[in-house]
C-alpha cells in the first residue's frame, strides 16, 4: 500500500518518532525511496521547518528533529517543571517481574502477573525503562530486560543491587504452609 503522505512529511513523522538520529540509508529503507530522493526530501523538510519550532539537524550523515534555538528559553521553563514520572502499581509490578525474572517474554510476564501485560510492556518500552533482549529460543518471542535508564532511575549500579525479593506470608496460599 502506497503512503499517501508526501515524502518530506513521511520523513518528518519517522524522525519525530525515532529516539536516535537516522542515516539517509535507513530513511531510504523505511520509506522505500532512493538515497538521492530522500536527500532531496530532507532538504525540502529543512526548508519547511525554518519558520517553525523544530529544525532538521544533521550530524555525521545522521538526521534528527531538534527544537529551534529560538525556543530555548521556553523549553527551559517547561523542563524546570516537575515531570509526572510516577509509575502506576501495574507498571511497577511489571518492572519488578522483568527486573527479577528477566529477560522475559510478554507471555511470561503476563503469566507471572496473572493479567495481560501487553500494554504495560509497551508503556515501559516507550518510557525507556525496559528494552528488547533477544528472542526466546523455543517460541521466537521477543524477550525484555530492564534498561540502563531503569538502573539510573532507581539508583542501582546493576541488577545485583536489587533488594532481595520476599513474598509476605499472608499472600502465600494456605496449602503451601507446613502443618
Amino acid at each position: 500500500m502506497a503512503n499517501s503522505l508526501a515524502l518530506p512529511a513521511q520523513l518528518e513523522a519517522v524522525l519525530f518518532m525515532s529516539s536516535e538520529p537516522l542515516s539517509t540509508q535507513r530513511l531510504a529503507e523505511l520509506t522505500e525511496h532512493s538515497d538521492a530522493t530522500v536527500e532531496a526530501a530532507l532538504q525540502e523538510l529543512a526548508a519547511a521547518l525554518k519558520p517553525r519550532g523544530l529544525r532538521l539537524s544533521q550530524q555525521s550523515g545522521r538526521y534528527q528533529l531538534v527544537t529551534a534555538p529560538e525556543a530555548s528559553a521556553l523549553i527551559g521553563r517547561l523542563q524546570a517543571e516537575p515531570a509526572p514520572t510516577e509509575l502506576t502499581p501495574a507498571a511497577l509490578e511489571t518492572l519488578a517481574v522483568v527486573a527479577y525474572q528477566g529477560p522475559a517474554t510478554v507471555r511470561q510476564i503476563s503469566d507471572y502477573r496473572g493479567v495481560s501485560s501487553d500494554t504495560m510492556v509497551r508503556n515501559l518500552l516507550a518510557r525507556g525503562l525496559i528494552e528488547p533482549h533477544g528472542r526466546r529460543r523455543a517460541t521466537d518471542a521477543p524477550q525484555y530486560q530492564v534498561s540502563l535508564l531503569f538502573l539510573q532511575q532507581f539508583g542501582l549500579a546493576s541488577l545485583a543491587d536489587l533488594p532481595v525479593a520476599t513474598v509476605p506470608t499472608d499472600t502465600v496460599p494456605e496449602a503451601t504452609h507446613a502443618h
Side-chain angles (χ1 to χ4, degrees):
M1 181 171 108
N3 194 313
S4 63
L5 285 176
L7 184 55
Q10 291 178 41
L11 296 171
E12 182 179 15
V14 168
L15 291 168
F16 178 78
M17 290 305 299
S18 179
S19 60
E20 61 187 13
L22 298 173
S23 68
T24 303
Q25 294 79 17
R26 181 67 180 133
L27 291 166
E29 289 170 17
L30 289 169
T31 61
E32 299 177 338
H33 285 85
S34 71
D35 289 5
T37 302
V38 167
E39 285 284 346
L42 286 167
Q43 296 310 311
E44 189 178 330
L45 175 59
L49 291 173
K50 273 284 190 208
R52 300 180 56 181
L54 296 176
R55 298 290 185 272
L56 181 64
S57 172
Q58 187 268 342
Q59 192 168 24
S60 303
R62 297 168 64 89
Y63 295 86
Q64 68 181 19
L65 291 177
V66 298
T67 56
E70 300 86 355
S72 63
L74 178 62
I75 300 300
R77 286 196 303 269
L78 175 67
Q79 290 176 332
E81 294 176 4
T85 56
E86 287 189 30
L87 295 169
T88 64
L92 288 170
E93 181 181 62
T94 303
L95 267 177
V97 171
V98 175
Y100 284 98
Q101 304 295 320
T105 65
V106 173
R107 171 97 187 231
Q108 290 171 315
I109 297 165
S110 296
D111 288 349
Y112 196 87
R113 293 184 60 226
V115 296
S116 174
S117 298
D118 296 335
T119 301
M120 278 299 112
V121 168
R122 275 196 307 275
N123 290 342
L124 293 171
L125 277 167
R127 285 177 170 239
L129 294 172
I130 64 173
E131 62 191 12
H133 180 75
R135 298 182 92 70
R136 186 161 186 238
R137 214 175 280 213
T139 61
D140 197 39
Q143 296 185 115
Y144 301 95
Q145 66 181 13
V146 293
S147 66
L148 180 59
L149 179 62
F150 165 85
L151 296 175
Q152 292 169 340
Q153 294 279 321
F154 286 86
L156 304 169
S158 73
L159 288 178
D161 294 336
L162 283 170
V164 175
T166 58
V167 178
T169 55
D170 62 341
T171 63
V172 177
E174 193 62 37
T176 61
H177 291 285
H179 292 285

